[in-house]
């Protein structure tokens, strides 16, 4: 069971703790579920957790909870329910920060709420709680609210009270807000909610600009996102023979698979829904990475990048090369020098740094 404090998760369950709501018979769907002690302080029979972020999904499974991710991977433009196709008397939701993704997820929650059932959501105040509550009210009618832990939990029984006149139209629009679409002048496909979803982020662009053409052999992209770095590596380095993409967010990994599909007839491609911080299962000649430095919250997490670097060092063959881009202020130098025989700064621009590190022989 996760031990870290999670104010939003704790506040989400406040209506049940205070006796305002009862846990229903017939099953509960928890969208963007996270593990934590509030999930385990009272019986939660029939709970199905949906989570596409690998570390959170693994934590839920370690706690013995039922976990799926297939619903969130479906193209929202299809308007389909997850594979199980079930409607639930209660749908719990931790809406994401990205507004379009949040609204699309609310539409899904309403679609999967059984007649007479409830949708219940919680958002931190500094991540748009009031706006999220207003969004749910617009499409579902009257909303009840509690606040605690600098968070707001709000719930509704859809259509139990008249929603705004345009509610059905809005729900139909919101279903498709996170649909897959072309970005970057049509070169890539993306969707709201994934990292830098509608653009090529400047850090990745800086790394691509400095990738040397002599990189060769089996390569890996750690934290691959929608596949931009991998695609550029293959375009610029013709001696790469295989590429494995590791990504913790399944929604992004499915996009990477789509974006790199044209390269599959040239090199062997592997797509891995994987938490890089747990290590890598194979050996490589080249690793590229723009590692994340946030988890699911706003706080900086440089420890994630350090663990990416350590995992890369263990997976590289002697003489193997790591090409890394990161924010200049992130303290990665110590772990780089600890794990690699040679480290050099290649470029700095716009607050970012590109580093090459070579594993000693």
């Amino acid at each position: 069971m996760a031990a870290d404090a999670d104010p939003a998760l704790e506040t989400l369950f406040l209506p049940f703790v205070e006796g305002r709501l009862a846990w229903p018979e017939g099953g509960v769907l928890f969208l963007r579920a996270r593990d934590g002690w509030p999930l385990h302080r009272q019986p939660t029979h029939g709970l199905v957790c949906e989570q596409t972020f690998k570390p959170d999904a693994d934590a839920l499974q370690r706690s013995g909870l039922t976990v799926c991710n297939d619903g969130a991977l479906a193209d929202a433009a299809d308007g389909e329910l997850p594979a199980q196709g079930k409607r639930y008397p209660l749908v719990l939701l931790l809406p994401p920060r990205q507004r379009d993704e949040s609204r699309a997820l609310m539409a899904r929650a309403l679609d999967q709420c059984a007649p007479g059932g409830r949708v219940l959501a919680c958002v931190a105040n500094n991540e748009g709680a009031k706006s999220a509550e207003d969004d749910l009210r617009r499409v579902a009618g009257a909303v009840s609210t509690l606040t605690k832990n600098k968070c707001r939990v709000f719930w509704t029984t859809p259509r139990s009270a008249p929603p705004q006149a345009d509610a059905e139209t809005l729900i139909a629009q919101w279903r498709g807000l996170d649909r897959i679409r072309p970005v970057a002048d049509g070169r890539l496909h993306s969707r709201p909610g994934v990292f830098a979803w509608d653009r090529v982020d400047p850090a990745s662009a800086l790394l691509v600009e400095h990738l040397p053409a002599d990189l060769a052999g089996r390569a890996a992209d750690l934290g691959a996102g929608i596949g931009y770095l991998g695609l550029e590596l293959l375009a610029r380095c013709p001696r790469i023979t295989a590429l494995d993409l590791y990504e913790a967010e399944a929604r992004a990994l499915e996009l990477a698979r789509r974006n790199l599909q044209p390269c599959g007839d040239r090199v062997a491609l592997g797509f891995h829904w994987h938490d890089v911080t747990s290590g890598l299962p194979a050996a490589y000649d080249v690793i590229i990475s723009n590692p994340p430095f946030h988890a699911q919250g706003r706080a900086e997490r440089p420890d994630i990048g350090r663990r990416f670097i350590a995992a890369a060092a263990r997976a590289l063959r002697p003489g193997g090369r790591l090409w890394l881009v990161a924010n200049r202020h992130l303290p990665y130098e110590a772990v780089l020098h600890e794990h690699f025989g040679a480290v050099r700064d290649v470029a700095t621009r716009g607050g970012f740094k590109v580093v090459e590190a070579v594993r000693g022989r």
Side-chain angles (χ1 to χ4, degrees):
M1 184 188 310
D4 294 342
D6 190 334
L9 181 65
E10 180 181 353
T11 308
L12 180 71
F13 283 85
L14 188 62
F16 304 102
V17 173
E18 293 191 352
R20 297 172 184 251
L21 297 177
W23 196 262
E25 300 293 336
V28 176
L29 177 63
F30 189 178
L31 302 176
R32 294 295 195 274
R34 299 195 292 265
D35 189 36
W37 63 265
L39 268 177
H40 305 275
R41 64 180 168 186
Q42 63 187 54
T44 53
H45 52 271
L47 179 64
V48 176
C49 300
E50 184 179 283
Q51 178 55 257
T52 59
F53 185 60
K54 182 66 169 171
D56 286 345
D58 288 347
L60 290 162
Q61 288 184 320
R62 286 194 297 268
S63 285
L65 297 166
T66 301
V67 184
C68 67
N69 65 41
D70 55 309
L73 299 184
D75 184 352
D78 296 336
E80 295 179 353
L81 296 181
Q84 64 267 27
K86 182 177 178 179
R87 298 182 189 273
Y88 296 81
L90 175 63
V91 181
L92 304 175
L93 172 62
L94 291 173
R97 290 197 302 270
Q98 210 283 335
R99 192 76 177 274
D100 285 348
E101 184 191 9
S102 174
R103 286 175 165 176
L105 206 60
M106 283 187 184
R108 270 202 56 218
L110 294 172
D111 287 340
Q112 294 202 245
C113 185
R118 287 189 175 92
V119 172
L120 185 146
C122 185
V123 179
N125 292 341
N126 64 359
E127 294 190 357
K130 186 62 170 64
S131 295
E133 179 187 342
D134 291 342
D135 280 346
L136 186 60
R137 182 179 291 108
R138 289 179 67 189
V139 293
V143 171
S144 301
T145 304
L146 289 173
T147 58
K148 190 177 181 179
N149 306 314
K150 298 182 180 179
C151 299
R152 182 185 299 252
V153 57
F154 44 96
W155 66 94
T156 181
T157 303
R159 302 175 183 87
S160 61
Q164 294 189 20
D166 60 351
E168 293 299 334
T169 301
L170 278 176
I171 293 172
Q173 292 174 352
W174 289 6
R175 287 189 187 108
L177 284 178
D178 74 338
R179 70 185 183 278
I180 296 172
R181 67 201 74 180
V183 297
D185 298 323
R187 293 185 296 127
L188 300 167
H189 286 84
S190 187
R191 69 193 308 176
V194 300
F195 172 68
W197 79 270
D198 59 349
R199 65 193 185 282
V200 174
D201 76 283
S204 294
L206 182 64
L207 177 58
V208 163
E209 183 181 325
H210 291 87
L211 287 176
D214 67 345
L215 295 176
R218 186 177 184 183
D221 181 358
L222 308 188
I226 66 171
Y228 167 73
L229 284 180
L231 198 63
E232 292 290 343
L233 175 73
L234 296 179
R236 294 164 184 266
C237 305
R239 294 169 58 198
I240 297 294
T241 57
L243 175 63
D244 286 334
L245 293 93
Y246 293 91
E247 173 54 48
E249 177 50 63
R251 298 173 78 248
L253 186 65
E254 290 303 301
L255 292 163
R257 190 188 304 273
R258 180 169 182 160
N259 288 326
L260 272 84
Q261 184 177 7
C263 303
D265 57 352
R266 191 191 114 197
V267 299
L269 297 174
F271 300 89
H272 308 276
W273 187 44
H274 186 77
D275 179 4
V276 169
T277 65
S278 67
L280 302 178
Y284 296 97
D285 304 293
V286 175
I287 291 178
I288 59 174
S289 186
N290 179 2
F293 59 98
H294 296 90
Q296 298 295 76
R298 291 177 177 270
E300 285 194 1
R301 290 281 308 278
D303 61 296
I304 298 175
R306 289 194 290 263
R307 292 168 71 183
F308 267 54
I309 292 166
R314 290 190 293 269
L316 281 168
R317 298 186 176 99
R321 299 158 74 181
L322 168 66
W323 279 79
L324 174 87
V325 66
N327 288 50
R328 290 178 64 182
H329 72 277
L330 292 173
Y332 293 160
E333 282 69 23
V335 69
L336 283 164
H337 287 283
E338 176 185 352
H339 288 283
F340 289 90
V343 178
R344 70 182 182 98
D345 292 335
V346 176
T348 59
R349 188 175 71 209
F352 304 108
K353 57 188 175 186
V354 174
V355 178
E356 182 192 29
V358 181
R359 184 178 175 188
R361 296 183 181 276

